[in-house]
Amino acid sequence: MDKTNRSGSDLKQKKFLLKQLVHRDFKSRYKRTFLGVLWSMLSPLCFFVTQAIVFSKLFGRGEYFLSYLIIGNIVLHYFSDATTNLMFSISANGGIISKINVDKRLFIYSRSISCLINFLLTMVIMFGVIAINGITFNVKFILLIFPIVCLYFLNMGVGYILSVLFVFFKDTQYIYSIFTRMLTYFSAIFYYVDSFPENIRHLFFYNPVYCYIYYFRTIIIDNMIPSMYVHFMCVAFPIAFLLIGKAIYGLNEKKFAYYF
C-alpha cells in the first residue's frame, strides 16, 4: 500500500509540476510583448502573405493555391517551432536541474504542449484562409486529428535528440537552423509535386513533414482520405524518432549535471 500511495503521490506531483511548467513556458514566451499570444498567429501569417504575393504568379494556377500554401506553411511552422523550442528545453532549465532532483523529461513535455497550443491557435488562420478560398468544411476534417497527434510525437522524438545534442554541442542550434531553412524547399510548400517526374515524387514521402502536409491537403483540398501507405508513413516516423530519441536521452541523462 505504501508503494502504491507513494507512486500515486509522485504522479500527482509530476502532473502538478507539468501544469506549472506549461503555464510558465506559455506565459514567458510572450512576456512583455504588446500583442502577446497574437504573435503565434502573426508570424506564420506574415510568411504566408509574403509567399502568396511572390509565388501566386509562378505557381498559383490551381483553384485552391492559397489553401495549398497556408497548409504547408502552418504545418512546417509547427514542426520548426516545436523542435527548435524543444532543443533548448533541457539547457534552459540547467539551473533547476543542477539543484533539484526532478524528472528532466517534464521540461520537454511542457515545451511540447506549449508549442501544440500555439499550433492549434495558428490553425484558426488556416481555416480562415480555407473558408475565404471557397472550400467547404466537412466531416472529414475530423480526421486531421490523426496527423496532428502523429506530428506531436514526431516533434517529441526529434526534441529528445536535439535537447541532448544542444547540452553538449552548442553549435547544434546553428546547424539545425540551416536544416529547417533547407527543409522549407524540400517540403513542397509553394510548388506542386506533380510537376516532378513520377519516379521522383515518391521520394517526398521520405520527408516526414511533407507526409503530414500531404495528409492535410488531401483531406482539406481534395476531400479524400489518404492511402494506407501515407497512414503508415505518418505513424512510422514518430515511432522511429521516439525510440531513437529516448535511447539517446537515456544514455546521456546522468551527464547533464556536469554541463550546467
Side-chain angles (χ1 to χ4, degrees), residues 4-208:
T4 303
N5 291 334
R6 194 179 301 115
S7 61
S9 177
D10 290 342
L11 182 60
K12 287 182 180 179
Q13 289 178 357
K14 287 183 178 180
K15 286 183 178 180
F16 175 78
L17 179 57
L18 178 60
K19 183 178 179 180
Q20 296 303 312
L21 287 172
V22 171
H23 182 265
R24 183 203 66 175
D25 290 341
F26 195 79
K27 188 176 181 180
S28 62
R29 183 167 186 159
Y30 304 106
K31 187 178 181 180
R32 295 175 184 163
T33 61
F34 181 72
L35 295 177
V37 72
L38 288 177
W39 282 115
S40 65
M41 301 182 184
L42 286 176
S43 179
L45 180 61
C46 289
F47 281 108
F48 163 70
V49 171
T50 302
Q51 290 183 353
I53 293 173
V54 174
F55 295 116
S56 59
K57 295 295 183 181
L58 297 175
F59 305 103
R61 300 171 184 173
E63 182 181 2
Y64 300 120
F65 180 71
L66 291 180
S67 297
Y68 184 92
L69 187 61
I70 190 65
I71 291 170
N73 271 281
I74 292 297
V75 175
L76 177 65
H77 182 268
Y78 174 41
F79 174 80
S80 177
D81 176 63
T83 52
T84 301
N85 271 278
L86 288 173
M87 175 168 52
F88 304 117
S89 59
I90 299 296
S91 183
N93 294 282
I96 299 176
I97 294 172
S98 62
K99 298 175 182 177
I100 303 173
N101 184 20
V102 62
D103 188 346
K104 304 169 189 64
R105 294 173 299 178
L106 292 175
F107 300 116
I108 297 176
Y109 299 157
S110 65
R111 286 285 180 99
S112 63
I113 294 173
S114 175
C115 291
L116 176 62
I117 294 172
N118 273 304
F119 172 62
L120 295 177
L121 290 173
T122 61
M123 287 186 69
V124 174
I125 297 174
M126 184 185 74
F127 286 127
V129 172
I130 289 169
I132 293 172
N133 207 192
I135 294 178
T136 304
F137 289 66
N138 61 76
V139 69
K140 289 191 181 74
F141 280 30
I142 297 175
L143 296 176
L144 294 177
I145 295 174
F146 173 76
I148 292 174
V149 171
C150 291
L151 186 53
Y152 172 82
F153 285 108
L154 172 68
N155 293 340
M156 285 277 290
V158 176
Y160 269 114
I161 299 171
L162 292 174
S163 63
V164 172
L165 289 175
F166 184 71
V167 170
F168 304 127
F169 310 104
K170 300 305 179 185
D171 290 344
T172 302
Q173 61 181 317
Y174 304 112
I175 297 173
Y176 192 67
S177 176
I178 295 172
F179 170 78
T180 53
R181 292 179 187 177
M182 292 174 60
L183 193 64
T184 302
Y185 298 98
F186 288 101
S187 299
I189 304 298
F190 47 81
Y191 59 84
Y192 294 111
V193 174
D194 293 344
S195 60
F196 289 83
E198 289 188 17
N199 61 331
I200 295 178
R201 295 175 195 172
H202 73 280
L203 296 177
F204 280 89
F205 289 98
Y206 291 102
N207 172 1

